[in-house]
Amino acid sequence: MSQAEPTRIEPLPRPLCGSIRVPGDKSISHRAVLFSAMAQGTSRVRGLLDSKDVRASIGAVSALGAKVDLEKQPDGSLAGEIRGWGEEGPAQPQEPIDCANSGTTARLLMGVLAPWPIRVTLTGDDSLRGRPMRRITAPLMKMGAQFEPAGSETLPITIIGDRDLKAVSYESPMASAQLKTAVLLAGLGAEGETMVTEPAISRNHTELMLPEYGATTTAGERTASVEGPCTLQATEVLVPGDPSSAAFAVCAAMMKRGSQIQVDNVSLNTARIGFTRTLERMGADIELIHKGSAGKEPYGSIHARYSDHLVGCEVPADKIASVIDEIPVLALVAAHAHGVTVFRDVAELKVKESNRLQATKEGLLSLGVECWTHGEDLFIQGDPDLHVPEGIVFDSRGDHRLAMTWALVGLCHNAGVEVTDFACTAVSFPDFLDTLQGAC
Ligand code: S3P
């Protein structure tokens, strides 16, 4: 909610070229911090994203008694040790825990705390205090946790944990990795198998990482389960680069004529690289080069080359979870393609760090792009000759992914733009601008 002057983003002087690296994956970083804090013993983590969101998770677990000893590395990441509370359980904090802008911190913490005799108030910034939480509290209440105020949809909410949680088999009404993870983490403290079934596949980092901490999990097409009770055991985690951050560089290459770029050391987890498949279906020239795996997370390089004949495509409802954080920037690329692109059933975008559905429409309309919603579907009529007028000011709404999306308009065209509260990029990609400017 900064009131600072908008930031001016000037056009890149040349096409993007060469190799870049993006910071550590945000979802994996949160999990590395939280799971290490839950574990018995001292975990070693490397490649952790140093961003406001991950700092919120670090602050939270520190307040709950984990000993976090991480240092900034020359590449900007955090590395070091986290000693968890293990069998002793989390300490009772004296103050509410401020999750800042981070939905992942707040929602996953509810699952972390549910199996302990503890009473913790979670809160956050204006954006997070407007986001839905009942999707998490409802299944945790079925397991035996309590919340005050009872039935509240928004933070601040106090969680009152219970040592005798019941294992559940939960049919989730939505494809949400945060929801799935909260239930599975609570399930680690319950006797027997806790299972979550989703209507579509969501990101699976939790299922991939928990076995590294000694938990027994199963992962099916749309189901995941854990066996409880289980005390996690300390391990080593190497966090690969964030595909959601890489998406901005790749999409910039789609819009800046003549670009050819490679993003190295990035997670190639199939639940996360839906944006590459969407761009390929639009006719983009993209290559994925697998290099290895960090734990069970595959990683490698993404190679992307500019093309002037992108065509619109349809992204079906069951693929939305795989591109959920990339829809604003994909919509911007779609605005440069021949024909119409449709993203089906994107209601979830309304409850992200801001109402991204409304914001994406407004931003594209200010560029003169025809774009509309019908029901919960988002349509964009592309124009390969899109002309960016001078003097556009985009409202980022304090939302990191919107700030970066609108910055690409200025970077990739001949007219600069202004973006409000650009500093919010520190939530996930603090060096966003330097990284892109350094690639040309
Ligand atoms: C995340 C899951 C997604 C995503 C968010 C991070 C995670 O949210 O949008 O940025 O780390 O589990 P949902 O679980 O609400 O779909």
Side-chain angles (χ1 to χ4, degrees), residues 251-314:
C251 288
M254 299 294 116
M255 295 183 286
K256 181 76 181 167
R257 187 171 290 278
S259 295
Q260 185 170 347
I261 195 165
Q262 180 161 315
V263 189
D264 290 326
N265 184 42
V266 62
S267 164
L268 297 180
N269 182 317
T270 51
R272 295 294 303 285
I273 52 168
F275 74 94
T276 63
R277 291 191 294 269
T278 302
L279 292 171
E280 277 170 342
R281 290 185 46 231
M282 295 174 85
D285 184 354
I286 294 200
E287 197 188 346
L288 304 179
I289 304 142
H290 285 259
K291 292 270 165 67
S293 62
K296 295 202 177 69
E297 291 282 346
Y299 72 89
S301 303
I302 303 175
H303 194 271
R305 193 197 302 253
Y306 175 81
S307 139
D308 61 5
H309 49 263
L310 296 185
V311 289
C313 74
E314 174 172 343

Short mmCIF file of all heavy atoms in Angstrom, two decimals, residues 251-314:
data_model
loop_
_atom_site.label_atom_id
_atom_site.label_comp_id
_atom_site.label_asym_id
_atom_site.label_seq_id
_atom_site.Cartn_x
_atom_site.Cartn_y
_atom_site.Cartn_z
N CYS A 251 7.99 -14.54 -21.49
CA CYS A 251 6.93 -13.75 -22.15
C CYS A 251 7.50 -12.45 -22.72
O CYS A 251 7.05 -11.98 -23.77
CB CYS A 251 5.79 -13.47 -21.17
SG CYS A 251 4.81 -14.95 -20.83
N ALA A 252 8.52 -11.89 -22.07
CA ALA A 252 9.18 -10.70 -22.64
C ALA A 252 9.78 -11.06 -23.99
O ALA A 252 9.67 -10.29 -24.96
CB ALA A 252 10.25 -10.18 -21.68
N ALA A 253 10.39 -12.24 -24.07
CA ALA A 253 11.00 -12.68 -25.34
C ALA A 253 9.94 -12.86 -26.43
O ALA A 253 10.21 -12.71 -27.62
CB ALA A 253 11.78 -13.97 -25.14
N MET A 254 8.70 -13.17 -26.01
CA MET A 254 7.60 -13.34 -26.99
C MET A 254 7.18 -12.00 -27.56
O MET A 254 6.61 -11.92 -28.65
CB MET A 254 6.36 -13.95 -26.32
CG MET A 254 6.56 -15.32 -25.73
SD MET A 254 6.87 -16.52 -27.01
CE MET A 254 8.53 -17.03 -26.59
N MET A 255 7.43 -10.91 -26.82
CA MET A 255 6.91 -9.60 -27.24
C MET A 255 7.99 -8.66 -27.75
O MET A 255 7.69 -7.70 -28.44
CB MET A 255 6.18 -8.96 -26.05
CG MET A 255 4.94 -9.76 -25.65
SD MET A 255 4.01 -8.99 -24.31
CE MET A 255 5.04 -9.32 -22.92
N LYS A 256 9.26 -8.91 -27.40
CA LYS A 256 10.34 -8.02 -27.83
C LYS A 256 10.98 -8.63 -29.08
O LYS A 256 11.67 -9.67 -29.00
CB LYS A 256 11.37 -7.88 -26.70
CG LYS A 256 12.53 -6.97 -27.03
CD LYS A 256 12.14 -5.52 -26.96
CE LYS A 256 13.31 -4.62 -27.32
NZ LYS A 256 12.91 -3.24 -27.56
N ARG A 257 10.71 -8.00 -30.20
CA ARG A 257 11.15 -8.52 -31.51
C ARG A 257 12.64 -8.89 -31.50
O ARG A 257 13.46 -8.15 -30.97
CB ARG A 257 10.91 -7.43 -32.57
CG ARG A 257 11.16 -7.84 -33.98
CD ARG A 257 10.67 -6.77 -34.95
NE ARG A 257 9.21 -6.68 -34.98
CZ ARG A 257 8.42 -7.48 -35.69
NH1 ARG A 257 8.95 -8.45 -36.43
NH2 ARG A 257 7.12 -7.32 -35.67
N GLY A 258 12.96 -10.04 -32.04
CA GLY A 258 14.36 -10.46 -32.20
C GLY A 258 14.96 -11.15 -30.98
O GLY A 258 16.12 -11.56 -31.00
N SER A 259 14.17 -11.30 -29.92
CA SER A 259 14.73 -11.87 -28.68
C SER A 259 14.97 -13.36 -28.79
O SER A 259 14.25 -14.08 -29.50
CB SER A 259 13.77 -11.62 -27.50
OG SER A 259 13.66 -10.26 -27.22
N GLN A 260 15.95 -13.81 -28.04
CA GLN A 260 16.24 -15.24 -27.93
C GLN A 260 16.89 -15.42 -26.57
O GLN A 260 17.98 -14.89 -26.34
CB GLN A 260 17.20 -15.65 -29.04
CG GLN A 260 17.44 -17.11 -29.07
CD GLN A 260 18.21 -17.54 -30.32
OE1 GLN A 260 18.34 -16.76 -31.26
NE2 GLN A 260 18.70 -18.74 -30.32
N ILE A 261 16.25 -16.12 -25.69
CA ILE A 261 16.72 -16.13 -24.31
C ILE A 261 16.66 -17.52 -23.72
O ILE A 261 15.83 -18.34 -24.13
CB ILE A 261 15.88 -15.13 -23.47
CG1 ILE A 261 16.57 -14.84 -22.15
CG2 ILE A 261 14.47 -15.58 -23.24
CD1 ILE A 261 16.03 -13.63 -21.44
N GLN A 262 17.57 -17.76 -22.77
CA GLN A 262 17.54 -19.04 -22.07
C GLN A 262 17.49 -18.77 -20.57
O GLN A 262 18.29 -17.99 -20.06
CB GLN A 262 18.81 -19.84 -22.41
CG GLN A 262 18.85 -21.18 -21.72
CD GLN A 262 19.82 -22.13 -22.40
OE1 GLN A 262 19.83 -22.24 -23.63
NE2 GLN A 262 20.61 -22.81 -21.61
N VAL A 263 16.54 -19.38 -19.89
CA VAL A 263 16.48 -19.25 -18.43
C VAL A 263 17.01 -20.55 -17.86
O VAL A 263 16.46 -21.63 -18.13
CB VAL A 263 15.04 -19.00 -17.94
CG1 VAL A 263 15.05 -18.66 -16.45
CG2 VAL A 263 14.37 -17.89 -18.73
N ASP A 264 18.07 -20.46 -17.07
CA ASP A 264 18.73 -21.66 -16.56
C ASP A 264 18.30 -21.99 -15.14
O ASP A 264 17.81 -21.11 -14.41
CB ASP A 264 20.25 -21.47 -16.58
CG ASP A 264 20.79 -21.45 -18.00
OD1 ASP A 264 20.23 -22.18 -18.85
OD2 ASP A 264 21.74 -20.70 -18.27
N ASN A 265 18.52 -23.25 -14.77
CA ASN A 265 18.33 -23.70 -13.38
C ASN A 265 16.93 -23.40 -12.86
O ASN A 265 16.75 -22.90 -11.77
CB ASN A 265 19.37 -22.99 -12.48
CG ASN A 265 19.29 -23.47 -11.05
OD1 ASN A 265 19.13 -24.67 -10.81
ND2 ASN A 265 19.34 -22.55 -10.10
N VAL A 266 15.93 -23.71 -13.69
CA VAL A 266 14.56 -23.41 -13.29
C VAL A 266 13.78 -24.72 -13.10
O VAL A 266 14.05 -25.71 -13.79
CB VAL A 266 13.91 -22.45 -14.33
CG1 VAL A 266 13.83 -23.09 -15.69
CG2 VAL A 266 12.57 -21.96 -13.90
N SER A 267 12.87 -24.72 -12.14
CA SER A 267 12.06 -25.92 -11.93
C SER A 267 11.26 -26.24 -13.19
O SER A 267 10.62 -25.36 -13.76
CB SER A 267 11.08 -25.70 -10.76
OG SER A 267 10.07 -26.70 -10.79
N LEU A 268 11.29 -27.50 -13.61
CA LEU A 268 10.50 -27.92 -14.77
C LEU A 268 9.38 -28.85 -14.33
O LEU A 268 8.89 -29.67 -15.11
CB LEU A 268 11.40 -28.58 -15.83
CG LEU A 268 12.47 -27.67 -16.44
CD1 LEU A 268 13.31 -28.44 -17.48
CD2 LEU A 268 11.85 -26.44 -17.10
N ASN A 269 8.97 -28.71 -13.08
CA ASN A 269 7.83 -29.47 -12.55
C ASN A 269 6.63 -29.25 -13.47
O ASN A 269 6.23 -28.10 -13.71
CB ASN A 269 7.56 -28.96 -11.13
CG ASN A 269 6.43 -29.70 -10.45
OD1 ASN A 269 5.41 -29.96 -11.06
ND2 ASN A 269 6.61 -30.01 -9.18
N THR A 270 6.05 -30.35 -13.97
CA THR A 270 4.99 -30.22 -14.99
C THR A 270 3.77 -29.46 -14.48
O THR A 270 3.05 -28.85 -15.26
CB THR A 270 4.51 -31.60 -15.51
OG1 THR A 270 4.20 -32.40 -14.37
CG2 THR A 270 5.57 -32.27 -16.35
N ALA A 271 3.57 -29.48 -13.15
CA ALA A 271 2.41 -28.75 -12.60
C ALA A 271 2.66 -27.24 -12.61
O ALA A 271 1.75 -26.47 -12.29
CB ALA A 271 2.12 -29.21 -11.17
N ARG A 272 3.88 -26.82 -12.95
CA ARG A 272 4.24 -25.41 -12.88
C ARG A 272 4.55 -24.78 -14.24
O ARG A 272 4.68 -23.55 -14.33
CB ARG A 272 5.46 -25.26 -11.94
CG ARG A 272 5.17 -25.63 -10.51
CD ARG A 272 4.19 -24.67 -9.87
NE ARG A 272 4.67 -23.31 -9.95
CZ ARG A 272 5.66 -22.82 -9.20
NH1 ARG A 272 6.22 -23.57 -8.28
NH2 ARG A 272 6.04 -21.57 -9.34
N ILE A 273 4.75 -25.61 -15.25
CA ILE A 273 5.20 -25.02 -16.52
C ILE A 273 4.09 -25.04 -17.56
O ILE A 273 4.36 -25.08 -18.77
CB ILE A 273 6.48 -25.69 -17.04
CG1 ILE A 273 6.31 -27.21 -17.09
CG2 ILE A 273 7.68 -25.30 -16.18
CD1 ILE A 273 7.40 -27.91 -17.85
N GLY A 274 2.86 -24.97 -17.07
CA GLY A 274 1.72 -24.85 -17.98
C GLY A 274 1.87 -23.66 -18.91
O GLY A 274 1.41 -23.70 -20.06
N PHE A 275 2.56 -22.62 -18.45
CA PHE A 275 2.69 -21.44 -19.33
C PHE A 275 3.49 -21.76 -20.58
O PHE A 275 3.23 -21.19 -21.64
CB PHE A 275 3.28 -20.23 -18.58
CG PHE A 275 4.75 -20.33 -18.29
CD1 PHE A 275 5.68 -19.78 -19.16
CD2 PHE A 275 5.21 -20.97 -17.16
CE1 PHE A 275 7.04 -19.85 -18.91
CE2 PHE A 275 6.58 -21.06 -16.90
CZ PHE A 275 7.49 -20.51 -17.78
N THR A 276 4.46 -22.67 -20.47
CA THR A 276 5.24 -23.01 -21.68
C THR A 276 4.35 -23.77 -22.67
O THR A 276 4.44 -23.56 -23.88
CB THR A 276 6.51 -23.84 -21.36
OG1 THR A 276 6.12 -25.10 -20.81
CG2 THR A 276 7.44 -23.12 -20.42
N ARG A 277 3.48 -24.63 -22.13
CA ARG A 277 2.58 -25.38 -23.02
C ARG A 277 1.57 -24.43 -23.66
O ARG A 277 1.24 -24.56 -24.85
CB ARG A 277 1.86 -26.50 -22.25
CG ARG A 277 2.80 -27.62 -21.84
CD ARG A 277 2.04 -28.83 -21.32
NE ARG A 277 1.34 -28.52 -20.08
CZ ARG A 277 1.85 -28.70 -18.87
NH1 ARG A 277 3.06 -29.21 -18.72
NH2 ARG A 277 1.16 -28.40 -17.80
N THR A 278 1.08 -23.46 -22.89
CA THR A 278 0.14 -22.49 -23.45
C THR A 278 0.82 -21.70 -24.58
O THR A 278 0.26 -21.53 -25.67
CB THR A 278 -0.37 -21.52 -22.36
OG1 THR A 278 -0.98 -22.30 -21.33
CG2 THR A 278 -1.36 -20.51 -22.91
N LEU A 279 2.03 -21.25 -24.33
CA LEU A 279 2.75 -20.47 -25.36
C LEU A 279 3.03 -21.34 -26.58
O LEU A 279 2.90 -20.88 -27.73
CB LEU A 279 4.05 -19.89 -24.79
CG LEU A 279 3.86 -18.80 -23.72
CD1 LEU A 279 5.19 -18.44 -23.06
CD2 LEU A 279 3.22 -17.54 -24.33
N GLU A 280 3.38 -22.60 -26.35
CA GLU A 280 3.62 -23.50 -27.49
C GLU A 280 2.36 -23.65 -28.32
O GLU A 280 2.41 -23.67 -29.55
CB GLU A 280 4.10 -24.87 -27.00
CG GLU A 280 5.59 -24.89 -26.72
CD GLU A 280 6.05 -26.14 -26.00
OE1 GLU A 280 5.21 -26.86 -25.41
OE2 GLU A 280 7.25 -26.38 -26.00
N ARG A 281 1.23 -23.76 -27.62
CA ARG A 281 -0.04 -23.91 -28.36
C ARG A 281 -0.35 -22.64 -29.12
O ARG A 281 -1.10 -22.66 -30.10
CB ARG A 281 -1.16 -24.31 -27.40
CG ARG A 281 -0.92 -25.75 -26.93
CD ARG A 281 -2.02 -26.30 -26.07
NE ARG A 281 -3.32 -26.03 -26.61
CZ ARG A 281 -4.31 -25.48 -25.94
NH1 ARG A 281 -4.14 -25.13 -24.68
NH2 ARG A 281 -5.47 -25.28 -26.50
N MET A 282 0.20 -21.51 -28.69
CA MET A 282 0.03 -20.26 -29.45
C MET A 282 1.03 -20.19 -30.61
O MET A 282 1.03 -19.22 -31.36
CB MET A 282 0.22 -19.06 -28.52
CG MET A 282 -0.84 -18.98 -27.43
SD MET A 282 -0.52 -17.66 -26.23
CE MET A 282 -1.26 -16.30 -27.07
N GLY A 283 1.89 -21.20 -30.69
CA GLY A 283 2.84 -21.24 -31.81
C GLY A 283 4.23 -20.75 -31.43
O GLY A 283 5.09 -20.57 -32.30
N ALA A 284 4.50 -20.56 -30.14
CA ALA A 284 5.81 -20.04 -29.73
C ALA A 284 6.89 -21.10 -29.90
O ALA A 284 6.63 -22.30 -29.84
CB ALA A 284 5.73 -19.60 -28.26
N ASP A 285 8.10 -20.61 -30.09
CA ASP A 285 9.26 -21.47 -30.26
C ASP A 285 9.93 -21.60 -28.88
O ASP A 285 10.69 -20.72 -28.46
CB ASP A 285 10.19 -20.79 -31.28
CG ASP A 285 11.40 -21.64 -31.60
OD1 ASP A 285 11.57 -22.69 -30.96
OD2 ASP A 285 12.16 -21.24 -32.49
N ILE A 286 9.61 -22.69 -28.19
CA ILE A 286 10.10 -22.89 -26.81
C ILE A 286 10.69 -24.28 -26.69
O ILE A 286 10.13 -25.25 -27.22
CB ILE A 286 8.93 -22.74 -25.80
CG1 ILE A 286 8.46 -21.30 -25.85
CG2 ILE A 286 9.31 -23.16 -24.39
CD1 ILE A 286 7.70 -20.80 -24.70
N GLU A 287 11.80 -24.37 -26.00
CA GLU A 287 12.39 -25.69 -25.79
C GLU A 287 12.72 -25.85 -24.31
O GLU A 287 13.23 -24.92 -23.68
CB GLU A 287 13.67 -25.79 -26.62
CG GLU A 287 14.14 -27.20 -26.80
CD GLU A 287 15.53 -27.25 -27.46
OE1 GLU A 287 15.98 -26.21 -27.99
OE2 GLU A 287 16.14 -28.31 -27.40
N LEU A 288 12.41 -27.02 -23.78
CA LEU A 288 12.75 -27.31 -22.38
C LEU A 288 13.93 -28.28 -22.39
O LEU A 288 13.89 -29.30 -23.09
CB LEU A 288 11.57 -27.97 -21.66
CG LEU A 288 10.25 -27.19 -21.68
CD1 LEU A 288 9.16 -27.98 -20.95
CD2 LEU A 288 10.41 -25.82 -21.04
N ILE A 289 14.96 -27.95 -21.63
CA ILE A 289 16.14 -28.82 -21.59
C ILE A 289 16.30 -29.32 -20.16
O ILE A 289 16.66 -28.54 -19.26
CB ILE A 289 17.40 -28.06 -22.05
CG1 ILE A 289 17.15 -27.48 -23.45
CG2 ILE A 289 18.63 -28.95 -22.06
CD1 ILE A 289 17.73 -26.13 -23.67
N HIS A 290 15.99 -30.60 -19.95
CA HIS A 290 16.08 -31.16 -18.60
C HIS A 290 17.54 -31.40 -18.23
O HIS A 290 18.30 -31.95 -19.01
CB HIS A 290 15.29 -32.47 -18.52
CG HIS A 290 13.81 -32.24 -18.46
ND1 HIS A 290 13.09 -32.31 -17.30
CD2 HIS A 290 12.92 -31.90 -19.43
CE1 HIS A 290 11.81 -32.02 -17.54
NE2 HIS A 290 11.69 -31.78 -18.84
N LYS A 291 17.89 -30.98 -17.00
CA LYS A 291 19.29 -31.13 -16.56
C LYS A 291 19.43 -32.12 -15.42
O LYS A 291 20.46 -32.75 -15.27
CB LYS A 291 19.81 -29.76 -16.08
CG LYS A 291 19.96 -28.72 -17.19
CD LYS A 291 21.35 -28.76 -17.81
CE LYS A 291 21.42 -27.99 -19.13
NZ LYS A 291 21.24 -26.56 -18.98
N GLY A 292 18.41 -32.23 -14.56
CA GLY A 292 18.54 -33.12 -13.40
C GLY A 292 17.41 -32.90 -12.44
O GLY A 292 16.37 -32.37 -12.82
N SER A 293 17.62 -33.30 -11.19
CA SER A 293 16.56 -33.04 -10.22
C SER A 293 17.16 -32.63 -8.88
O SER A 293 18.24 -33.07 -8.50
CB SER A 293 15.65 -34.25 -10.08
OG SER A 293 16.37 -35.33 -9.59
N ALA A 294 16.42 -31.73 -8.22
CA ALA A 294 16.77 -31.27 -6.88
C ALA A 294 15.78 -31.97 -5.97
O ALA A 294 14.61 -31.62 -5.97
CB ALA A 294 16.64 -29.76 -6.78
N GLY A 295 16.24 -32.99 -5.21
CA GLY A 295 15.29 -33.86 -4.54
C GLY A 295 14.46 -34.53 -5.63
O GLY A 295 15.00 -35.09 -6.57
N LYS A 296 13.14 -34.40 -5.56
CA LYS A 296 12.30 -34.99 -6.62
C LYS A 296 11.83 -33.93 -7.60
O LYS A 296 10.98 -34.20 -8.45
CB LYS A 296 11.10 -35.70 -5.99
CG LYS A 296 11.48 -36.89 -5.14
CD LYS A 296 10.31 -37.85 -5.01
CE LYS A 296 10.66 -39.10 -4.24
NZ LYS A 296 10.91 -38.84 -2.81
N GLU A 297 12.33 -32.70 -7.48
CA GLU A 297 11.90 -31.62 -8.36
C GLU A 297 12.78 -31.56 -9.60
O GLU A 297 13.99 -31.26 -9.50
CB GLU A 297 12.01 -30.27 -7.63
CG GLU A 297 11.04 -30.08 -6.49
CD GLU A 297 9.63 -29.72 -6.97
OE1 GLU A 297 9.46 -29.37 -8.16
OE2 GLU A 297 8.70 -29.80 -6.14
N PRO A 298 12.22 -31.82 -10.78
CA PRO A 298 13.04 -31.74 -11.99
C PRO A 298 13.40 -30.28 -12.29
O PRO A 298 12.60 -29.38 -12.04
CB PRO A 298 12.12 -32.29 -13.08
CG PRO A 298 10.73 -32.11 -12.56
CD PRO A 298 10.82 -32.17 -11.06
N TYR A 299 14.60 -30.06 -12.79
CA TYR A 299 14.96 -28.69 -13.18
C TYR A 299 15.79 -28.71 -14.46
O TYR A 299 16.29 -29.76 -14.88
CB TYR A 299 15.70 -27.95 -12.05
CG TYR A 299 17.10 -28.45 -11.84
CD1 TYR A 299 18.18 -27.91 -12.53
CD2 TYR A 299 17.36 -29.48 -10.94
CE1 TYR A 299 19.48 -28.38 -12.35
CE2 TYR A 299 18.64 -29.96 -10.75
CZ TYR A 299 19.69 -29.40 -11.45
OH TYR A 299 20.96 -29.89 -11.27
N GLY A 300 15.92 -27.56 -15.07
CA GLY A 300 16.68 -27.45 -16.31
C GLY A 300 16.55 -26.05 -16.87
O GLY A 300 16.39 -25.09 -16.12
N SER A 301 16.60 -25.93 -18.20
CA SER A 301 16.57 -24.62 -18.85
C SER A 301 15.33 -24.49 -19.73
O SER A 301 14.84 -25.48 -20.27
CB SER A 301 17.80 -24.43 -19.74
OG SER A 301 18.96 -24.58 -18.97
N ILE A 302 14.89 -23.26 -19.89
CA ILE A 302 13.81 -22.95 -20.83
C ILE A 302 14.40 -22.02 -21.88
O ILE A 302 14.96 -20.98 -21.54
CB ILE A 302 12.61 -22.26 -20.14
CG1 ILE A 302 12.08 -23.11 -19.00
CG2 ILE A 302 11.51 -21.95 -21.16
CD1 ILE A 302 10.96 -22.45 -18.17
N HIS A 303 14.29 -22.45 -23.14
CA HIS A 303 14.81 -21.65 -24.24
C HIS A 303 13.62 -21.08 -25.00
O HIS A 303 12.70 -21.81 -25.34
CB HIS A 303 15.65 -22.56 -25.15
CG HIS A 303 16.48 -21.81 -26.11
ND1 HIS A 303 16.03 -21.44 -27.36
CD2 HIS A 303 17.73 -21.32 -26.00
CE1 HIS A 303 16.98 -20.76 -27.97
NE2 HIS A 303 18.02 -20.66 -27.18
N ALA A 304 13.62 -19.76 -25.22
CA ALA A 304 12.46 -19.12 -25.87
C ALA A 304 12.94 -18.12 -26.91
O ALA A 304 13.89 -17.37 -26.68
CB ALA A 304 11.62 -18.39 -24.82
N ARG A 305 12.26 -18.15 -28.07
CA ARG A 305 12.66 -17.28 -29.19
C ARG A 305 11.45 -16.50 -29.69
O ARG A 305 10.34 -17.05 -29.77
CB ARG A 305 13.18 -18.19 -30.31
CG ARG A 305 13.92 -17.47 -31.41
CD ARG A 305 14.00 -18.39 -32.62
NE ARG A 305 14.67 -19.65 -32.33
CZ ARG A 305 15.89 -19.94 -32.75
NH1 ARG A 305 16.57 -19.09 -33.48
NH2 ARG A 305 16.41 -21.12 -32.48
N TYR A 306 11.66 -15.22 -30.00
CA TYR A 306 10.58 -14.37 -30.51
C TYR A 306 10.00 -14.96 -31.80
O TYR A 306 10.72 -15.48 -32.64
CB TYR A 306 11.12 -12.96 -30.79
CG TYR A 306 10.09 -12.06 -31.42
CD1 TYR A 306 9.13 -11.42 -30.64
CD2 TYR A 306 10.04 -11.88 -32.81
CE1 TYR A 306 8.16 -10.62 -31.22
CE2 TYR A 306 9.08 -11.08 -33.40
CZ TYR A 306 8.13 -10.46 -32.59
OH TYR A 306 7.17 -9.68 -33.17
N SER A 307 8.67 -14.81 -31.93
CA SER A 307 8.04 -15.17 -33.19
C SER A 307 6.94 -14.16 -33.47
O SER A 307 6.26 -13.71 -32.53
CB SER A 307 7.47 -16.59 -33.08
OG SER A 307 6.22 -16.65 -33.69
N ASP A 308 6.77 -13.77 -34.75
CA ASP A 308 5.74 -12.76 -35.04
C ASP A 308 4.45 -13.40 -35.53
O ASP A 308 3.59 -12.73 -36.07
CB ASP A 308 6.27 -11.70 -36.03
CG ASP A 308 6.66 -12.32 -37.34
OD1 ASP A 308 6.43 -13.54 -37.50
OD2 ASP A 308 7.19 -11.59 -38.19
N HIS A 309 4.31 -14.73 -35.36
CA HIS A 309 3.04 -15.33 -35.78
C HIS A 309 2.38 -16.16 -34.67
O HIS A 309 1.94 -17.28 -34.90
CB HIS A 309 3.19 -16.12 -37.09
CG HIS A 309 4.35 -17.06 -37.08
ND1 HIS A 309 5.55 -16.74 -37.63
CD2 HIS A 309 4.48 -18.28 -36.55
CE1 HIS A 309 6.38 -17.75 -37.46
NE2 HIS A 309 5.75 -18.69 -36.81
N LEU A 310 2.31 -15.57 -33.48
CA LEU A 310 1.56 -16.24 -32.41
C LEU A 310 0.07 -16.18 -32.74
O LEU A 310 -0.41 -15.19 -33.28
CB LEU A 310 1.80 -15.56 -31.07
CG LEU A 310 3.22 -15.59 -30.50
CD1 LEU A 310 3.25 -14.96 -29.12
CD2 LEU A 310 3.78 -17.01 -30.46
N VAL A 311 -0.63 -17.26 -32.37
CA VAL A 311 -2.09 -17.29 -32.59
C VAL A 311 -2.79 -17.58 -31.27
O VAL A 311 -2.24 -18.28 -30.41
CB VAL A 311 -2.50 -18.37 -33.63
CG1 VAL A 311 -2.08 -17.98 -35.03
CG2 VAL A 311 -1.93 -19.72 -33.25
N GLY A 312 -4.00 -17.07 -31.14
CA GLY A 312 -4.77 -17.26 -29.91
C GLY A 312 -5.04 -18.74 -29.66
O GLY A 312 -5.01 -19.56 -30.58
N CYS A 313 -5.30 -19.09 -28.41
CA CYS A 313 -5.63 -20.48 -28.10
C CYS A 313 -6.63 -20.51 -26.94
O CYS A 313 -6.94 -19.47 -26.36
CB CYS A 313 -4.38 -21.29 -27.74
SG CYS A 313 -3.73 -20.90 -26.12
N GLU A 314 -7.11 -21.71 -26.64
CA GLU A 314 -8.03 -21.87 -25.53
C GLU A 314 -7.32 -22.61 -24.40
O GLU A 314 -6.69 -23.64 -24.63
CB GLU A 314 -9.25 -22.68 -25.99
CG GLU A 314 -10.18 -23.00 -24.84
CD GLU A 314 -11.50 -23.63 -25.30
OE1 GLU A 314 -11.82 -23.53 -26.50
OE2 GLU A 314 -12.17 -24.22 -24.44
#
